[in-house]
Amino acid sequence: MKDWKNVWILAEVNHGRLSPTAYELLNAGRKLADDLGEKLCAVLLGSGVKTWTQDLFEHGADVVYVCDAAPLAQYVDDVYAKTLAAMIAQYKPNKFLLPATNLGRSLSAKTAIFAGTGLTADATEVVIHKEDGQLHATRPTFGGNLMATITCARTRPEMCSLRPMAYAKAARVSGRTGEVVEFPFDAAKYTSLAQFIRFIKSQGEGLDLSEAEVIVAGGRGLGKPEGFALLEKLAQRLGGAVGASRAPVDSGWIEYRRQIGLTGRTVKPKLYIACGISGQIQHMAGCSGADVLVAINKDPQAPIMKMAHYALEGDLYEVIPAMLEQLG
């Protein structure tokens, strides 16, 4: 175990764009590395990804491992995972954080298998246990009713996929530099039975929750799936996105990708408007980072009415049309 050192984070690059999760992982990883007295390292995989090295240094990385090759231009699970596993075998990182994005969830699982180690998926918090230096990763379990802390005692690296927006982004220090380590890509070794054909972007899905500065979310209090059409009107008027608590998702009123909470997404918008949401702890864990929380509910005793910055007691089917009228 003593040969395994340093904290790694995966800086996800997807369709030529560095994911904001890289900065969040650098923030989480910095604390881990400092507690261990080790270096914080970022990993870049793809084609043309070297351009992001300086950005990663300025956000806290001490070392950036780069595997930059044309065959990595498009994401293919096995190819990326086998490449990462080879990097792990050569450089022996102690801890490895990946984003719990669509890409990161798939990649982290396959990489852990190829590397012969364990993985805690979709964690919301990571800390170093002072007595033994192990990674303690906390994640929701039993439908979000309990929080479990998971360790990986016998293998390295200790891997964890961390939920987006669970941590704030690392601060930028202009001019900060570090070490670049280039890893050669071997097309003969890192193969896959799958083949990338083309990328088709989903249409008509609206603004992604992770990018939205305004979110209008609905709960069981909507009473019917058609209620989300009204929420969509308000969200569009405010330039935001539509979210939901678990109950409407379980009822089939709206798709799972819109679910906010312990068993859904974590969001940090500037404005969060909760419509017909009671405010159970599982939901509030996903939206507590909002700068301003507005609650619309007929029940003045609902928990969310006490937690909100602004609480509007009333029927959302009367309040929202009035808001739309005022917005013009």
Side-chain angles (χ1 to χ4, degrees):
M1 295 291 187
K2 293 181 180 178
D3 293 335
W4 298 77
K5 295 186 181 297
N6 300 328
V7 176
W8 281 19
I9 69 100
L10 178 72
E12 178 185 321
V13 177
N14 206 354
H15 303 295
R17 178 186 175 192
L18 181 66
S19 171
T21 58
Y23 309 125
E24 298 166 16
L25 294 181
L26 285 170
N27 185 23
R30 181 77 271 164
K31 181 65 165 59
L32 302 183
D34 289 347
D35 286 348
L36 291 166
E38 298 178 353
K39 293 180 179 179
L40 175 59
C41 311
V43 180
L44 282 168
L45 291 178
S47 179
V49 295
K50 291 180 184 178
T51 184
W52 300 107
T53 54
Q54 182 57 34
D55 194 32
L56 295 172
F57 288 141
E58 293 185 352
H59 283 89
D62 301 311
V63 181
V64 177
Y65 291 94
V66 181
C67 186
D68 196 322
L72 296 174
Q74 303 295 340
Y75 175 71
V76 178
D77 276 348
D78 285 355
V79 176
Y80 268 55
K82 288 177 181 178
T83 304
L84 265 185
M87 296 174 76
I88 288 171
Q90 180 168 337
Y91 300 113
K92 292 181 168 55
N94 188 3
K95 324 292 183 192
F96 192 5
L97 305 180
L98 298 92
T101 56
N102 289 337
L103 184 153
R105 285 188 172 106
S106 175
L107 179 58
S108 60
K110 286 207 169 187
T111 301
I113 292 171
F114 290 139
T117 191
L119 168 72
T120 301
D122 214 27
T124 56
E125 183 182 17
V126 286
V127 297
I128 297 298
H129 192 247
K130 293 182 179 180
E131 293 182 5
D132 55 19
Q134 284 190 9
L135 180 69
H136 283 207
T138 301
R139 57 151 295 157
T141 188
F142 290 105
N145 293 311
L146 293 174
M147 300 297 288
T149 298
I150 302 172
T151 62
C152 178
R154 297 182 178 87
T155 58
R156 294 293 183 272
E158 296 170 87
M159 291 183 60
C160 171
S161 63
L162 197 60
R163 184 177 295 198
M165 295 193 179
Y167 283 79
K169 295 177 182 178
R172 186 183 203 116
V173 180
S174 298
R176 188 178 183 279
T177 61
E179 177 187 1
V180 176
V181 178
E182 297 196 28
F183 184 81
F185 178 78
D186 190 337
K189 288 183 179 179
Y190 315 135
T191 60
S192 175
L193 295 176
Q195 181 182 2
F196 176 84
I197 302 299
R198 65 183 182 275
F199 173 72
I200 302 174
K201 187 176 181 180
S202 298
Q203 300 295 321
E205 292 189 347
L207 185 64
D208 188 86
L209 289 174
S210 63
E211 300 176 350
E213 293 188 348
V214 176
I215 294 176
V216 182
R220 191 190 305 276
L222 267 67
K224 53 188 177 181
E226 291 79 11
F228 280 101
L230 181 61
L231 269 56
E232 183 67 44
K233 290 182 181 179
L234 180 58
Q236 288 181 353
R237 192 70 58 85
L238 296 172
V242 172
S245 63
R246 180 173 176 172
V249 174
D250 287 348
S251 298
W253 296 356
I254 194 169
E255 60 270 31
Y256 170 73
R257 67 185 181 86
R258 292 296 174 187
Q259 183 173 321
I260 296 167
L262 279 178
T263 51
R265 306 281 294 275
T266 300
V267 296
K268 292 186 178 181
K270 291 182 178 179
L271 173 62
Y272 189 86
I273 304 177
C275 308
I277 295 175
S278 64
Q280 296 301 313
I281 188 171
Q282 291 89 345
H283 179 75
M284 298 311 299
C287 63
S288 59
D291 291 346
V292 177
L293 171 61
V294 176
I296 303 173
N297 204 299
K298 289 192 292 186
D299 180 7
Q301 301 305 316
I304 199 169
M305 299 293 272
K306 299 177 182 178
M307 293 181 272
H309 296 95
Y310 301 96
L312 302 177
E313 181 185 345
D315 188 333
L316 66 92
Y317 290 102
E318 297 176 358
V319 174
I320 295 179
M323 293 173 69
L324 289 169
E325 184 178 350
Q326 288 296 316
L327 290 168

